[in-house]
Amino acid sequence: MERIGFRGKAEGLEMDRIFRDKEFSMTARHFHETYELYVLLEGERYYFIDQETYLVKAGDAVLIRPNQIHKTGTAGAPAHSRILLQIEEAGLLPYLKDCRVHTLGDLFRSGASVIRLSEEDQERARYLLEELETELSAGQEYREAVLRLILVRLLLVLSRCQQKEDWYQEPETARTWKHQKVRQVARYLMKNPETPESLSQLAARFSVSRSYLSRIFREVTSFTVNEYKNISRIKKSQELLLRTDCSVTEIAGILGYDTVTYYERVFKRYTGTTPLRYKKHFRKG
């Protein structure tokens, strides 16, 4: 059974609270431009982020940055409830700057995106989430401004939790053999996006059968190995476009694409724009 406890939307913000008591694993391929905040209220979940699978427990918060690959899956008993926020950064920037924060990403530690909260901080976070839900439901005057103020306060609370050296705990990673094997392959592809290795060659490199690697990789990440390889290449090409003077043709060659046309087609599939337009947009000024 799936029960939607709340669903609301405002400019630059979407929120929903859902309870499930059956097996559930995200099938959608999550790779988007918005920030995402996931708070697990009850139960346990596996959460794959980029290359690693984390064990997320009740009270944990997960912050997904733009263009991070992510997917949740069942860990232990299937029953769980969670709150999910989709956040567009642009509307928050004036409020963040008032707090002397330049971007939303500046609030959080690099690396792990799972924030393990103390009981006291869990209560603070839940109170602010309830305030968000109330404000989304009410539709009163100054609604947009109040929502942004509550959201910034919530994000500041979560960021402060990560700075508490006397409390902060590194998130627990999944220890199953399956998840560890997928992590090894994902890390290799992110580190070596230009590799021409086929699925069979990758399976041989990591001492598993081709069919087994294909199955577990899709189960954990929701992507095929080839799709994940393309994403790794696109992420690397975004870096080259913004940090070097390499041409689109040169980047296509560096990353092992047979033709510029195919590289441009793959780039647009995952980013919604062409490499040249991406470069002009993010390097302007």
Side-chain angles (χ1 to χ4, degrees), residues 1-32:
M1 178 186 73
E2 175 176 296
R3 184 174 71 248
I4 298 174
F6 174 79
R7 182 163 284 165
K9 186 175 181 179
E11 184 179 354
L13 175 66
E14 294 183 32
M15 178 179 186
D16 64 62
R17 176 167 47 85
I18 289 178
F19 169 80
R20 296 185 178 97
D21 64 359
K22 62 180 181 180
E23 291 283 339
F24 174 80
S25 182
M26 283 168 53
T27 54
R29 299 166 185 182
H30 275 50
F31 184 71
H32 46 66

Side-chain angles (χ1 to χ4, degrees), residues 41-283:
L41 303 175
E42 298 174 284
E44 290 187 348
R45 301 288 288 164
Y46 282 131
Y47 214 123
F48 178 82
I49 306 171
D50 277 341
Q51 306 162 42
E52 184 65 86
T53 302
Y54 299 96
L55 179 61
V56 177
K57 299 180 179 181
D60 290 352
V62 184
L63 182 77
I64 302 298
R65 295 170 179 80
N67 293 323
Q68 279 194 300
I69 304 164
H70 58 286
K71 176 182 183 287
T72 63
T74 300
H80 68 282
S81 63
R82 57 84 171 149
I83 290 176
L84 186 69
L85 302 180
Q86 292 286 350
I87 305 164
E88 293 181 12
E89 184 180 47
L92 287 181
L93 285 178
Y95 299 82
L96 291 171
K97 288 178 180 177
D98 285 343
C99 302
R100 298 183 181 179
V101 178
H102 297 293
T103 70
L104 187 50
D106 290 339
L107 281 176
F108 297 89
R109 293 183 185 217
S110 58
S113 302
V114 180
I115 306 168
R116 188 139 290 168
L117 307 179
S118 66
E119 289 186 11
E120 184 180 358
D121 287 322
Q122 286 181 40
E123 286 196 18
R124 288 196 185 98
R126 289 194 188 207
Y127 169 77
L128 291 168
L129 287 165
E130 288 172 4
E131 288 289 292
L132 276 177
E133 187 173 315
T134 299
E135 197 64 36
L136 279 167
S137 302
Q140 297 182 26
E141 193 174 6
Y142 308 122
R143 175 176 179 254
E144 305 296 330
V146 173
L147 284 169
R148 284 169 172 76
L149 289 168
I150 297 170
L151 183 55
V152 169
R153 186 180 171 195
L154 172 62
L155 294 168
L156 289 169
V157 167
L158 295 177
S159 177
R160 192 166 58 188
C161 292
Q162 283 196 311
Q163 312 311 317
K164 293 180 180 178
E165 298 297 338
D166 60 336
W167 162 252
Y168 181 75
Q169 302 176 39
E170 288 295 331
E172 184 179 346
T173 57
R175 297 192 177 97
T176 68
W177 193 89
K178 174 178 74 174
H179 288 97
Q180 290 177 356
K181 186 61 63 176
V182 169
R183 177 183 61 195
Q184 291 171 6
V185 177
R187 284 184 173 179
Y188 177 77
L189 292 175
M190 279 293 179
K191 189 175 180 180
N192 303 279
E194 75 288 345
T195 179
E197 291 167 286
S198 65
L199 176 60
S200 296
Q201 290 169 322
L202 285 169
R205 174 182 287 277
F206 291 96
S207 304
V208 293
S209 72
R210 182 180 186 277
S211 60
Y212 182 71
L213 176 58
S214 178
R215 178 169 62 81
I216 65 170
F217 200 90
R218 185 146 196 169
E219 281 178 8
V220 172
T221 72
S222 82
F223 290 91
T224 67
V225 172
N226 192 56
E227 286 170 335
Y228 193 90
K229 185 194 295 184
N230 272 323
I231 289 172
S232 303
R233 287 178 170 180
I234 295 308
K235 282 177 172 285
K236 181 64 177 180
S237 76
Q238 288 173 320
E239 180 182 333
L240 293 171
L241 286 164
L242 299 183
R243 298 185 182 180
T244 74
D245 292 322
C246 292
S247 68
V248 171
T249 300
E250 289 171 329
I251 292 172
I254 290 169
L255 294 176
Y257 286 102
D258 293 333
T259 67
V260 176
T261 301
Y262 181 58
Y263 161 58
E264 291 177 329
R265 187 162 68 245
V266 174
F267 190 97
K268 189 169 185 179
R269 183 192 311 160
Y270 289 107
T271 68
T273 188
T274 65
L276 193 56
R277 286 176 182 167
Y278 178 89
K279 182 174 184 175
K280 286 180 178 178
H281 177 75
F282 287 100
R283 291 185 67 166

